Amino acid sequence: MNTLGNILWLILGGLELAVAWAIIGIVLCITIVGIPLGIQAFKMAGLTLTPFGKSVVYGGGVGSLLANIIWVVLVGIWMAIGYVIAGVLNCITVIGVPFGIQSFKMAKLALWPFGAQVQ
């Protein structure tokens, strides 16, 4: 079932989102200061490419907390809002509920990416 969900996800826009995250990651990694942010963008690209069957484990310490606060202020809140809106729109129909759940999972990662691991 995860394979079917991932195939449908890719066809319905997941591939474009993953490529966009990868491009953002490459652009952020151009500067030394942007490398930590670029790594988080690559993490989002990996989850966005095939979200079904993956889970996100949150952890980290004080450094991750401080980095997440900066991330939320700069970009995280807007990305999370976008994923929540997509999740709500997907959950309007019964068929879209699994896709909405994946959008909510990505919203949480978009809000707090530092210290999180995609498994």
Side-chain angles (χ1 to χ4, degrees):
M1 194 64 175
N2 290 337
T3 304
L4 180 61
N6 284 327
I7 290 170
L8 287 173
W9 180 268
L10 288 173
I11 292 170
L12 298 174
L15 183 62
E16 290 85 1
L17 282 173
V19 168
W21 274 112
I23 291 170
I24 290 168
I26 290 170
V27 170
L28 286 169
C29 285
I30 289 174
T31 65
I32 302 244
V33 175
I35 290 175
L37 301 174
I39 292 170
Q40 304 315 309
F42 290 134
K43 189 185 303 182
M44 283 298 301
L47 181 62
T48 304
L49 190 61
T50 55
F52 289 91
K54 291 185 179 177
S55 62
V56 181
V57 178
Y58 293 92
V62 176
S64 294
L65 177 65
L66 294 175
N68 278 325
I69 291 171
I70 293 169
W71 176 270
V72 166
V73 170
L74 294 177
V75 293
I77 190 74
W78 300 110
M79 291 187 297
I81 289 171
Y83 278 116
V84 167
I85 290 170
V88 168
L89 291 175
N90 279 319
C91 287
I92 290 174
T93 65
V94 175
I95 295 172
V97 170
F99 298 102
I101 292 169
Q102 301 309 314
S103 293
F104 294 138
K105 179 176 22 175
M106 286 184 273
K108 186 175 178 184
L109 183 63
L111 193 60
W112 295 100
F114 289 92
Q117 294 179 347
V118 178
Q119 299 177 347

